[in-house]
Amino acid sequence: MCGPTPPATPETRRVVIAGAGPSGLLLQALLHTRNKAPNASVTYDVTLIESRPDLGQLDQEELQVHRSWMISLAGHGLEAVRSVPELYEKYVSGIGIKLSEGNMFMGSKKISMGSMNKNETGPQESFIVDRNFIVAALARYAKDNTPHYTSKYETDLLYVDSENHRVLVRDKATKEEEYLSYDLLVGADGVRSTVREALVKRHFDFELQVSDIFQTFKAVHLPRPESLSPASLSFMPGCLPSFNGISLPETGDMINLSMGCPRNEFDSISDDIKSSDPAVVAKYFKENFKAFQFPEETYMDWATQWVNQRWNRTGQVYCNKYSSVECKIVMMGDSVHATSPSIGMGMNTALRDAQKFNELLDKFEDD
């Protein structure tokens, strides 16, 4: 008597993801979900390569030291995160703030822009989160869902041997190097992508442009002033001579205040704001920043954070293709389409990349 045909053993595919940013970590989560499907014909064996430390190992108090940029998580970015069951509810929802209102400050004059959670078509959820906080949340999900997953943090990706489908990596602590073979290499390694170099070398018709937004800026984390609500976004054109600014809410009743000026005006801005003396910078802020007022000690905190960081620039990337069958490479996020932060969609689009790639795996049955 013949019994039921046993299910076929799923084929194992080795996936190397370069970059533990939003798109790389979300793709790991999506591939993990695919592995759990009862009818899965492929098992994705994922190795994640990241040169920086694993933020998912830190508790909330330790993570405060690693605050970075506040970023909007909205629309297609939220949809992408929610495409992984329980990822948003258990790992992401508590780490940011839902915007409720927007303001424009013209000097000290405050102009209300109304609710930030609706548009012409109805309610629109807008969620502000520190970039490193969402990376930490996605990394915790990866750590809690470990089958067929290996992480190599504090490891540099040195070279892509696209002809033999392998990458050379080096452990930053031990200096040991090794080759990792892959069936699919995902380049989610940012504006200065190493993976992207393989496409440049292999495809004569691959085109790219790397530039920046021609702004220099700094960002600080400060206690929320009384004039701002805990969930408000504020634009501040001309907040200082030659400077525009933006204030975004943070958890812990804080704000992330960013201010920048065009690079072609940098030489003409006040020497006081370029000083290495916090007392000089604090005096300049107190006398010239009119949008809202802070207690005396906050000005010194602001100035100390200001002088202890370099002037930042943000890169932009444009590419004419995102993949190579010959190299077995797929590119995602800032490595192929980094945009100006003023658009507010960079992380959302990176997350969408991972979601759409997963949908293509569905459409073509993992082929």
Side-chain angles (χ1 to χ4, degrees), residues 46-274:
V46 177
T47 300
L48 183 74
I49 309 297
E50 172 57 55
S51 63
R52 290 166 291 191
D54 181 2
L55 297 179
Q57 300 284 355
L58 306 179
D59 60 31
Q60 285 303 115
E61 183 175 347
E62 293 170 326
L63 195 56
Q64 300 305 312
V65 180
H66 296 272
R67 285 183 182 269
S68 58
W69 315 109
M70 299 303 292
I71 299 174
S72 171
L73 178 60
H76 52 284
L78 274 172
E79 180 186 323
V81 170
R82 285 173 168 149
S83 67
V84 176
E86 300 185 333
L87 176 57
Y88 177 79
E89 292 79 7
K90 288 190 175 182
Y91 293 86
V92 174
S93 63
I95 63 172
I97 295 175
K98 291 183 180 180
L99 287 180
S100 62
E101 66 179 63
N103 305 303
M104 179 82 73
F105 283 87
M106 306 298 294
S108 60
K109 183 178 180 180
K110 180 180 178 180
I111 303 170
S112 175
M113 298 166 59
S115 172
M116 300 294 292
N117 283 322
K118 62 181 181 180
N119 58 18
E120 294 83 356
T121 59
Q124 176 176 291
E125 190 173 6
S126 191
F127 188 72
I128 297 295
V129 60
D130 189 291
R131 185 263 183 197
N132 282 352
F133 284 18
I134 194 166
V135 167
L138 294 170
R140 291 189 195 105
Y141 177 91
K143 183 177 63 175
D144 293 344
N145 297 274
T146 54
H148 305 287
Y149 171 66
T150 302
S151 63
K152 290 182 178 291
Y153 282 90
E154 299 186 77
T155 299
D156 288 326
L157 176 61
L158 303 178
Y159 172 70
V160 177
D161 178 2
S162 61
E163 184 174 348
N164 295 299
H165 303 134
R166 60 180 187 167
V167 295
L168 178 64
V169 300
R170 177 193 293 150
D171 186 292
K172 297 174 77 169
T174 66
K175 307 301 181 185
E176 293 182 0
E177 298 181 0
E178 64 175 321
Y179 275 103
L180 303 174
S181 297
Y182 65 82
D183 300 306
L184 172 66
L185 173 60
V186 179
D189 50 342
V191 173
R192 306 298 173 186
S193 171
T194 300
V195 176
R196 192 178 60 221
E197 294 175 7
L199 302 189
V200 175
K201 294 175 182 177
R202 185 66 180 267
H203 296 284
F204 74 92
D205 58 343
F206 180 72
E207 300 174 5
L208 76 151
Q209 177 182 348
V210 180
S211 60
D212 65 29
I213 62 172
F214 304 107
Q215 294 270 336
T216 53
F217 64 95
K218 293 189 180 185
V220 295
H221 309 277
L222 301 172
R224 178 181 61 85
E226 292 182 0
S227 58
L228 295 182
S229 73
S232 64
L233 174 151
S234 298
F235 297 101
M236 297 165 290
C239 57
L240 293 172
S242 298
F243 278 79
N244 294 318
I246 184 171
S247 168
L248 294 167
E250 290 189 4
T251 55
D253 207 26
M254 304 278 286
I255 63 168
N256 180 210
L257 178 62
S258 299
M259 299 191 303
C261 72
R263 288 220 310 274
N264 62 354
E265 298 182 23
F266 185 79
D267 291 341
S268 64
I269 65 175
S270 171
D271 289 337
D272 289 350
I273 201 172
K274 294 186 280 189

Side-chain angles (χ1 to χ4, degrees), residues 281-290 293-294 296 299 302:
V281 177
K283 182 174 182 292
Y284 181 83
F285 285 153
K286 187 174 181 180
E287 293 176 350
N288 292 278
F289 184 82
K290 304 299 184 183
Q293 301 298 310
F294 292 103
E296 191 71 32
Y299 286 103
W302 180 2

